[in-house]
Amino acid sequence: MPGTRKLGRPTDHRKAMLRAMVTFFLESGKIETTVTRAKEVASIAEKMITLGKTNSLHNKRQVMSFVTKEDVVKKLFDEIAPKYADRNGGYTRIYKTGPRRGDAAEMAILELV
């Protein structure tokens, strides 16, 4: 994928981190992280929600291959995706919250609309 951000991590670490963040984000509906990570997580989460809108075995397996918890996949197909049935994309929102205290990294809150 030519447009992905590397986030200063090796591929396996980056994939594992994004899988965990997307899973937690879909579980809780809100997450606080850096702006660049929030943009990556939002992109992947939107794809997962779009897959969840069509309740087929193939789509469930595709989501299962990325999301790490089975109960989160169930929640995605039963609760989250049906809320956005009449909406074409734009399921997430990013609020910038200012710099982090330790290293002044730009922080953001990512939430479901």
Side-chain angles (χ1 to χ4, degrees):
M1 292 187 281
T4 56
R5 296 168 180 87
K6 294 197 176 175
L7 304 172
R9 285 166 177 21
T11 308
D12 55 343
H13 186 177
R14 181 173 61 247
K15 272 187 182 169
M17 180 186 71
L18 288 172
R19 285 181 68 184
M21 288 178 82
V22 168
T23 302
F24 181 74
F25 173 63
L26 292 173
E27 191 173 38
S28 63
K30 193 175 193 179
I31 193 170
E32 185 175 5
T33 183
T34 61
V35 173
T36 50
R37 283 183 191 174
K39 287 178 180 177
E40 278 299 300
V41 171
S43 167
I44 298 166
E46 296 226 359
K47 287 176 184 136
M48 294 298 138
I49 293 170
T50 302
L51 284 171
K53 286 165 76 171
T54 308
N55 194 358
S56 68
L57 181 60
H58 179 63
N59 284 2
K60 278 188 180 168
R61 285 181 174 162
Q62 282 188 303
V63 173
M64 280 286 226
S65 73
F66 194 84
V67 175
T68 57
K69 293 182 181 174
E70 254 180 74
D71 55 323
V72 175
V73 175
K74 184 166 172 39
K75 181 180 178 183
L76 173 67
F77 278 88
D78 295 346
E79 297 169 33
I80 299 170
K83 273 200 318 195
Y84 303 110
D86 57 338
R87 191 178 183 120
N88 298 324
Y91 317 120
T92 59
R93 182 180 292 144
I94 297 175
Y95 292 112
K96 292 183 180 177
T97 58
R100 182 162 55 193
R101 185 146 184 235
D103 60 358
E106 190 67 33
M107 296 300 283
I109 292 174
L110 174 67
E111 67 179 18
L112 290 168
V113 173

PDB file of all heavy atoms in Angstrom, residues 57-83:
ATOM      1  N   LEU A  57     -20.621 -14.318   5.414  1.00  0.00           N
ATOM      2  CA  LEU A  57     -19.553 -15.121   6.009  1.00  0.00           C
ATOM      3  C   LEU A  57     -18.191 -14.623   5.536  1.00  0.00           C
ATOM      4  O   LEU A  57     -17.241 -14.538   6.318  1.00  0.00           O
ATOM      5  CB  LEU A  57     -19.740 -16.595   5.649  1.00  0.00           C
ATOM      6  CG  LEU A  57     -18.720 -17.574   6.227  1.00  0.00           C
ATOM      7  CD1 LEU A  57     -18.756 -17.527   7.751  1.00  0.00           C
ATOM      8  CD2 LEU A  57     -18.996 -18.978   5.742  1.00  0.00           C
ATOM      9  N   HIS A  58     -18.093 -14.284   4.259  1.00  0.00           N
ATOM     10  CA  HIS A  58     -16.834 -13.793   3.698  1.00  0.00           C
ATOM     11  C   HIS A  58     -16.378 -12.519   4.412  1.00  0.00           C
ATOM     12  O   HIS A  58     -15.216 -12.397   4.796  1.00  0.00           O
ATOM     13  CB  HIS A  58     -17.005 -13.533   2.199  1.00  0.00           C
ATOM     14  CG  HIS A  58     -15.767 -13.012   1.540  1.00  0.00           C
ATOM     15  ND1 HIS A  58     -14.613 -13.743   1.473  1.00  0.00           N
ATOM     16  CD2 HIS A  58     -15.501 -11.833   0.931  1.00  0.00           C
ATOM     17  CE1 HIS A  58     -13.685 -13.035   0.835  1.00  0.00           C
ATOM     18  NE2 HIS A  58     -14.205 -11.865   0.500  1.00  0.00           N
ATOM     19  N   ASN A  59     -17.309 -11.577   4.608  1.00  0.00           N
ATOM     20  CA  ASN A  59     -16.958 -10.332   5.289  1.00  0.00           C
ATOM     21  C   ASN A  59     -16.576 -10.580   6.740  1.00  0.00           C
ATOM     22  O   ASN A  59     -15.658  -9.959   7.263  1.00  0.00           O
ATOM     23  CB  ASN A  59     -18.105  -9.330   5.199  1.00  0.00           C
ATOM     24  CG  ASN A  59     -18.187  -8.692   3.828  1.00  0.00           C
ATOM     25  OD1 ASN A  59     -17.411  -9.014   2.936  1.00  0.00           O
ATOM     26  ND2 ASN A  59     -19.138  -7.803   3.640  1.00  0.00           N
ATOM     27  N   LYS A  60     -17.280 -11.491   7.411  1.00  0.00           N
ATOM     28  CA  LYS A  60     -16.943 -11.819   8.797  1.00  0.00           C
ATOM     29  C   LYS A  60     -15.532 -12.373   8.894  1.00  0.00           C
ATOM     30  O   LYS A  60     -14.769 -12.024   9.788  1.00  0.00           O
ATOM     31  CB  LYS A  60     -17.938 -12.817   9.392  1.00  0.00           C
ATOM     32  CG  LYS A  60     -19.199 -12.170   9.889  1.00  0.00           C
ATOM     33  CD  LYS A  60     -20.075 -13.137  10.633  1.00  0.00           C
ATOM     34  CE  LYS A  60     -21.325 -12.404  11.111  1.00  0.00           C
ATOM     35  NZ  LYS A  60     -22.353 -13.284  11.596  1.00  0.00           N
ATOM     36  N   ARG A  61     -15.174 -13.233   7.942  1.00  0.00           N
ATOM     37  CA  ARG A  61     -13.833 -13.819   7.945  1.00  0.00           C
ATOM     38  C   ARG A  61     -12.771 -12.768   7.655  1.00  0.00           C
ATOM     39  O   ARG A  61     -11.684 -12.801   8.230  1.00  0.00           O
ATOM     40  CB  ARG A  61     -13.750 -14.968   6.950  1.00  0.00           C
ATOM     41  CG  ARG A  61     -14.451 -16.200   7.477  1.00  0.00           C
ATOM     42  CD  ARG A  61     -14.378 -17.356   6.531  1.00  0.00           C
ATOM     43  NE  ARG A  61     -14.955 -18.541   7.161  1.00  0.00           N
ATOM     44  CZ  ARG A  61     -15.356 -19.621   6.511  1.00  0.00           C
ATOM     45  NH1 ARG A  61     -15.237 -19.677   5.193  1.00  0.00           N
ATOM     46  NH2 ARG A  61     -15.863 -20.638   7.152  1.00  0.00           N
ATOM     47  N   GLN A  62     -13.078 -11.824   6.770  1.00  0.00           N
ATOM     48  CA  GLN A  62     -12.124 -10.753   6.476  1.00  0.00           C
ATOM     49  C   GLN A  62     -11.889  -9.893   7.715  1.00  0.00           C
ATOM     50  O   GLN A  62     -10.750  -9.535   8.023  1.00  0.00           O
ATOM     51  CB  GLN A  62     -12.631  -9.881   5.323  1.00  0.00           C
ATOM     52  CG  GLN A  62     -12.419 -10.516   3.969  1.00  0.00           C
ATOM     53  CD  GLN A  62     -12.748  -9.559   2.854  1.00  0.00           C
ATOM     54  OE1 GLN A  62     -13.878  -9.045   2.784  1.00  0.00           O
ATOM     55  NE2 GLN A  62     -11.799  -9.306   1.991  1.00  0.00           N
ATOM     56  N   VAL A  63     -12.954  -9.546   8.430  1.00  0.00           N
ATOM     57  CA  VAL A  63     -12.818  -8.741   9.645  1.00  0.00           C
ATOM     58  C   VAL A  63     -12.092  -9.541  10.722  1.00  0.00           C
ATOM     59  O   VAL A  63     -11.210  -9.027  11.401  1.00  0.00           O
ATOM     60  CB  VAL A  63     -14.204  -8.257  10.149  1.00  0.00           C
ATOM     61  CG1 VAL A  63     -14.086  -7.574  11.499  1.00  0.00           C
ATOM     62  CG2 VAL A  63     -14.830  -7.305   9.136  1.00  0.00           C
ATOM     63  N   MET A  64     -12.431 -10.826  10.850  1.00  0.00           N
ATOM     64  CA  MET A  64     -11.784 -11.697  11.833  1.00  0.00           C
ATOM     65  C   MET A  64     -10.282 -11.796  11.615  1.00  0.00           C
ATOM     66  O   MET A  64      -9.519 -11.967  12.562  1.00  0.00           O
ATOM     67  CB  MET A  64     -12.362 -13.112  11.775  1.00  0.00           C
ATOM     68  CG  MET A  64     -13.652 -13.253  12.476  1.00  0.00           C
ATOM     69  SD  MET A  64     -13.417 -13.242  14.222  1.00  0.00           S
ATOM     70  CE  MET A  64     -14.428 -14.595  14.694  1.00  0.00           C
ATOM     71  N   SER A  65      -9.844 -11.696  10.357  1.00  0.00           N
ATOM     72  CA  SER A  65      -8.418 -11.808  10.064  1.00  0.00           C
ATOM     73  C   SER A  65      -7.646 -10.586  10.563  1.00  0.00           C
ATOM     74  O   SER A  65      -6.425 -10.632  10.684  1.00  0.00           O
ATOM     75  CB  SER A  65      -8.183 -11.987   8.560  1.00  0.00           C
ATOM     76  OG  SER A  65      -8.424 -10.769   7.879  1.00  0.00           O
ATOM     77  N   PHE A  66      -8.348  -9.496  10.866  1.00  0.00           N
ATOM     78  CA  PHE A  66      -7.664  -8.284  11.344  1.00  0.00           C
ATOM     79  C   PHE A  66      -7.976  -7.982  12.807  1.00  0.00           C
ATOM     80  O   PHE A  66      -7.070  -7.729  13.593  1.00  0.00           O
ATOM     81  CB  PHE A  66      -8.046  -7.080  10.471  1.00  0.00           C
ATOM     82  CG  PHE A  66      -7.131  -5.906  10.683  1.00  0.00           C
ATOM     83  CD1 PHE A  66      -5.922  -5.827  10.007  1.00  0.00           C
ATOM     84  CD2 PHE A  66      -7.460  -4.900  11.573  1.00  0.00           C
ATOM     85  CE1 PHE A  66      -5.064  -4.761  10.216  1.00  0.00           C
ATOM     86  CE2 PHE A  66      -6.607  -3.833  11.793  1.00  0.00           C
ATOM     87  CZ  PHE A  66      -5.411  -3.762  11.115  1.00  0.00           C
ATOM     88  N   VAL A  67      -9.246  -7.991  13.177  1.00  0.00           N
ATOM     89  CA  VAL A  67      -9.649  -7.675  14.559  1.00  0.00           C
ATOM     90  C   VAL A  67      -9.313  -8.861  15.447  1.00  0.00           C
ATOM     91  O   VAL A  67      -9.569 -10.010  15.094  1.00  0.00           O
ATOM     92  CB  VAL A  67     -11.160  -7.337  14.612  1.00  0.00           C
ATOM     93  CG1 VAL A  67     -11.625  -7.129  16.031  1.00  0.00           C
ATOM     94  CG2 VAL A  67     -11.432  -6.093  13.779  1.00  0.00           C
ATOM     95  N   THR A  68      -8.728  -8.591  16.623  1.00  0.00           N
ATOM     96  CA  THR A  68      -8.166  -9.664  17.447  1.00  0.00           C
ATOM     97  C   THR A  68      -9.152 -10.316  18.416  1.00  0.00           C
ATOM     98  O   THR A  68      -8.845 -11.356  18.973  1.00  0.00           O
ATOM     99  CB  THR A  68      -6.962  -9.141  18.255  1.00  0.00           C
ATOM    100  OG1 THR A  68      -7.386  -8.035  19.055  1.00  0.00           O
ATOM    101  CG2 THR A  68      -5.846  -8.686  17.339  1.00  0.00           C
ATOM    102  N   LYS A  69     -10.336  -9.731  18.646  1.00  0.00           N
ATOM    103  CA  LYS A  69     -11.294 -10.302  19.597  1.00  0.00           C
ATOM    104  C   LYS A  69     -12.594 -10.658  18.894  1.00  0.00           C
ATOM    105  O   LYS A  69     -13.169  -9.833  18.192  1.00  0.00           O
ATOM    106  CB  LYS A  69     -11.598  -9.301  20.716  1.00  0.00           C
ATOM    107  CG  LYS A  69     -10.442  -9.008  21.638  1.00  0.00           C
ATOM    108  CD  LYS A  69     -10.883  -8.046  22.720  1.00  0.00           C
ATOM    109  CE  LYS A  69      -9.755  -7.696  23.663  1.00  0.00           C
ATOM    110  NZ  LYS A  69     -10.162  -6.655  24.612  1.00  0.00           N
ATOM    111  N   GLU A  70     -13.071 -11.878  19.165  1.00  0.00           N
ATOM    112  CA  GLU A  70     -14.298 -12.336  18.525  1.00  0.00           C
ATOM    113  C   GLU A  70     -15.516 -11.532  18.955  1.00  0.00           C
ATOM    114  O   GLU A  70     -16.401 -11.242  18.146  1.00  0.00           O
ATOM    115  CB  GLU A  70     -14.533 -13.813  18.846  1.00  0.00           C
ATOM    116  CG  GLU A  70     -14.247 -14.717  17.673  1.00  0.00           C
ATOM    117  CD  GLU A  70     -14.488 -16.172  17.986  1.00  0.00           C
ATOM    118  OE1 GLU A  70     -15.671 -16.561  18.060  1.00  0.00           O
ATOM    119  OE2 GLU A  70     -13.501 -16.908  18.128  1.00  0.00           O
ATOM    120  N   ASP A  71     -15.580 -11.153  20.239  1.00  0.00           N
ATOM    121  CA  ASP A  71     -16.744 -10.396  20.708  1.00  0.00           C
ATOM    122  C   ASP A  71     -16.800  -8.998  20.088  1.00  0.00           C
ATOM    123  O   ASP A  71     -17.877  -8.427  19.930  1.00  0.00           O
ATOM    124  CB  ASP A  71     -16.786 -10.332  22.246  1.00  0.00           C
ATOM    125  CG  ASP A  71     -15.517  -9.769  22.842  1.00  0.00           C
ATOM    126  OD1 ASP A  71     -14.426 -10.051  22.299  1.00  0.00           O
ATOM    127  OD2 ASP A  71     -15.589  -9.041  23.861  1.00  0.00           O
ATOM    128  N   VAL A  72     -15.640  -8.443  19.718  1.00  0.00           N
ATOM    129  CA  VAL A  72     -15.621  -7.139  19.047  1.00  0.00           C
ATOM    130  C   VAL A  72     -16.161  -7.285  17.628  1.00  0.00           C
ATOM    131  O   VAL A  72     -16.891  -6.417  17.136  1.00  0.00           O
ATOM    132  CB  VAL A  72     -14.194  -6.534  19.044  1.00  0.00           C
ATOM    133  CG1 VAL A  72     -14.159  -5.243  18.254  1.00  0.00           C
ATOM    134  CG2 VAL A  72     -13.720  -6.292  20.468  1.00  0.00           C
ATOM    135  N   VAL A  73     -15.841  -8.401  16.968  1.00  0.00           N
ATOM    136  CA  VAL A  73     -16.372  -8.656  15.622  1.00  0.00           C
ATOM    137  C   VAL A  73     -17.891  -8.780  15.691  1.00  0.00           C
ATOM    138  O   VAL A  73     -18.614  -8.221  14.866  1.00  0.00           O
ATOM    139  CB  VAL A  73     -15.744  -9.940  15.020  1.00  0.00           C
ATOM    140  CG1 VAL A  73     -16.389 -10.278  13.684  1.00  0.00           C
ATOM    141  CG2 VAL A  73     -14.249  -9.756  14.839  1.00  0.00           C
ATOM    142  N   LYS A  74     -18.385  -9.493  16.697  1.00  0.00           N
ATOM    143  CA  LYS A  74     -19.837  -9.641  16.879  1.00  0.00           C
ATOM    144  C   LYS A  74     -20.484  -8.276  17.101  1.00  0.00           C
ATOM    145  O   LYS A  74     -21.510  -7.959  16.506  1.00  0.00           O
ATOM    146  CB  LYS A  74     -20.116 -10.573  18.064  1.00  0.00           C
ATOM    147  CG  LYS A  74     -21.594 -10.862  18.264  1.00  0.00           C
ATOM    148  CD  LYS A  74     -21.795 -12.030  19.199  1.00  0.00           C
ATOM    149  CE  LYS A  74     -23.230 -12.261  19.591  1.00  0.00           C
ATOM    150  NZ  LYS A  74     -24.225 -12.069  18.562  1.00  0.00           N
ATOM    151  N   LYS A  75     -19.858  -7.449  17.955  1.00  0.00           N
ATOM    152  CA  LYS A  75     -20.375  -6.107  18.221  1.00  0.00           C
ATOM    153  C   LYS A  75     -20.382  -5.272  16.940  1.00  0.00           C
ATOM    154  O   LYS A  75     -21.336  -4.530  16.675  1.00  0.00           O
ATOM    155  CB  LYS A  75     -19.526  -5.419  19.293  1.00  0.00           C
ATOM    156  CG  LYS A  75     -19.997  -4.027  19.641  1.00  0.00           C
ATOM    157  CD  LYS A  75     -19.133  -3.376  20.703  1.00  0.00           C
ATOM    158  CE  LYS A  75     -19.624  -1.964  20.985  1.00  0.00           C
ATOM    159  NZ  LYS A  75     -18.803  -1.258  21.952  1.00  0.00           N
ATOM    160  N   LEU A  76     -19.325  -5.392  16.140  1.00  0.00           N
ATOM    161  CA  LEU A  76     -19.227  -4.645  14.884  1.00  0.00           C
ATOM    162  C   LEU A  76     -20.393  -4.992  13.957  1.00  0.00           C
ATOM    163  O   LEU A  76     -21.054  -4.102  13.424  1.00  0.00           O
ATOM    164  CB  LEU A  76     -17.891  -4.944  14.193  1.00  0.00           C
ATOM    165  CG  LEU A  76     -17.707  -4.361  12.794  1.00  0.00           C
ATOM    166  CD1 LEU A  76     -17.640  -2.846  12.847  1.00  0.00           C
ATOM    167  CD2 LEU A  76     -16.456  -4.915  12.144  1.00  0.00           C
ATOM    168  N   PHE A  77     -20.672  -6.289  13.787  1.00  0.00           N
ATOM    169  CA  PHE A  77     -21.735  -6.711  12.862  1.00  0.00           C
ATOM    170  C   PHE A  77     -23.137  -6.483  13.427  1.00  0.00           C
ATOM    171  O   PHE A  77     -24.066  -6.214  12.682  1.00  0.00           O
ATOM    172  CB  PHE A  77     -21.545  -8.186  12.478  1.00  0.00           C
ATOM    173  CG  PHE A  77     -20.533  -8.381  11.379  1.00  0.00           C
ATOM    174  CD1 PHE A  77     -19.190  -8.521  11.680  1.00  0.00           C
ATOM    175  CD2 PHE A  77     -20.916  -8.405  10.061  1.00  0.00           C
ATOM    176  CE1 PHE A  77     -18.244  -8.684  10.681  1.00  0.00           C
ATOM    177  CE2 PHE A  77     -19.982  -8.569   9.039  1.00  0.00           C
ATOM    178  CZ  PHE A  77     -18.643  -8.707   9.352  1.00  0.00           C
ATOM    179  N   ASP A  78     -23.301  -6.593  14.761  1.00  0.00           N
ATOM    180  CA  ASP A  78     -24.635  -6.498  15.357  1.00  0.00           C
ATOM    181  C   ASP A  78     -25.035  -5.086  15.763  1.00  0.00           C
ATOM    182  O   ASP A  78     -26.208  -4.730  15.698  1.00  0.00           O
ATOM    183  CB  ASP A  78     -24.734  -7.408  16.589  1.00  0.00           C
ATOM    184  CG  ASP A  78     -24.594  -8.879  16.216  1.00  0.00           C
ATOM    185  OD1 ASP A  78     -24.692  -9.204  15.013  1.00  0.00           O
ATOM    186  OD2 ASP A  78     -24.379  -9.697  17.131  1.00  0.00           O
ATOM    187  N   GLU A  79     -24.070  -4.270  16.228  1.00  0.00           N
ATOM    188  CA  GLU A  79     -24.408  -2.945  16.763  1.00  0.00           C
ATOM    189  C   GLU A  79     -23.834  -1.786  15.953  1.00  0.00           C
ATOM    190  O   GLU A  79     -24.563  -0.874  15.566  1.00  0.00           O
ATOM    191  CB  GLU A  79     -23.899  -2.819  18.208  1.00  0.00           C
ATOM    192  CG  GLU A  79     -24.534  -3.794  19.181  1.00  0.00           C
ATOM    193  CD  GLU A  79     -23.818  -3.809  20.524  1.00  0.00           C
ATOM    194  OE1 GLU A  79     -23.306  -2.745  20.936  1.00  0.00           O
ATOM    195  OE2 GLU A  79     -23.753  -4.885  21.139  1.00  0.00           O
ATOM    196  N   ILE A  80     -22.527  -1.809  15.692  1.00  0.00           N
ATOM    197  CA  ILE A  80     -21.859  -0.638  15.092  1.00  0.00           C
ATOM    198  C   ILE A  80     -22.265  -0.436  13.635  1.00  0.00           C
ATOM    199  O   ILE A  80     -22.760   0.630  13.262  1.00  0.00           O
ATOM    200  CB  ILE A  80     -20.323  -0.769  15.219  1.00  0.00           C
ATOM    201  CG1 ILE A  80     -19.918  -0.825  16.691  1.00  0.00           C
ATOM    202  CG2 ILE A  80     -19.633   0.409  14.545  1.00  0.00           C
ATOM    203  CD1 ILE A  80     -18.462  -1.183  16.932  1.00  0.00           C
ATOM    204  N   ALA A  81     -22.062  -1.458  12.790  1.00  0.00           N
ATOM    205  CA  ALA A  81     -22.331  -1.315  11.351  1.00  0.00           C
ATOM    206  C   ALA A  81     -23.784  -0.965  11.028  1.00  0.00           C
ATOM    207  O   ALA A  81     -24.024  -0.109  10.167  1.00  0.00           O
ATOM    208  CB  ALA A  81     -21.877  -2.561  10.607  1.00  0.00           C
ATOM    209  N   PRO A  82     -24.788  -1.589  11.690  1.00  0.00           N
ATOM    210  CA  PRO A  82     -26.179  -1.214  11.355  1.00  0.00           C
ATOM    211  C   PRO A  82     -26.500   0.265  11.612  1.00  0.00           C
ATOM    212  O   PRO A  82     -27.362   0.835  10.943  1.00  0.00           O
ATOM    213  CB  PRO A  82     -27.017  -2.116  12.271  1.00  0.00           C
ATOM    214  CG  PRO A  82     -26.150  -3.290  12.535  1.00  0.00           C
ATOM    215  CD  PRO A  82     -24.754  -2.755  12.573  1.00  0.00           C
ATOM    216  N   LYS A  83     -25.791   0.906  12.562  1.00  0.00           N
ATOM    217  CA  LYS A  83     -26.015   2.336  12.822  1.00  0.00           C
ATOM    218  C   LYS A  83     -25.671   3.182  11.600  1.00  0.00           C
ATOM    219  O   LYS A  83     -26.229   4.252  11.397  1.00  0.00           O
ATOM    220  CB  LYS A  83     -25.119   2.820  13.982  1.00  0.00           C
ATOM    221  CG  LYS A  83     -25.711   2.630  15.341  1.00  0.00           C
ATOM    222  CD  LYS A  83     -25.062   3.512  16.393  1.00  0.00           C
ATOM    223  CE  LYS A  83     -23.556   3.625  16.326  1.00  0.00           C
ATOM    224  NZ  LYS A  83     -22.946   4.175  17.531  1.00  0.00           N
TER     225      LYS A  83
END
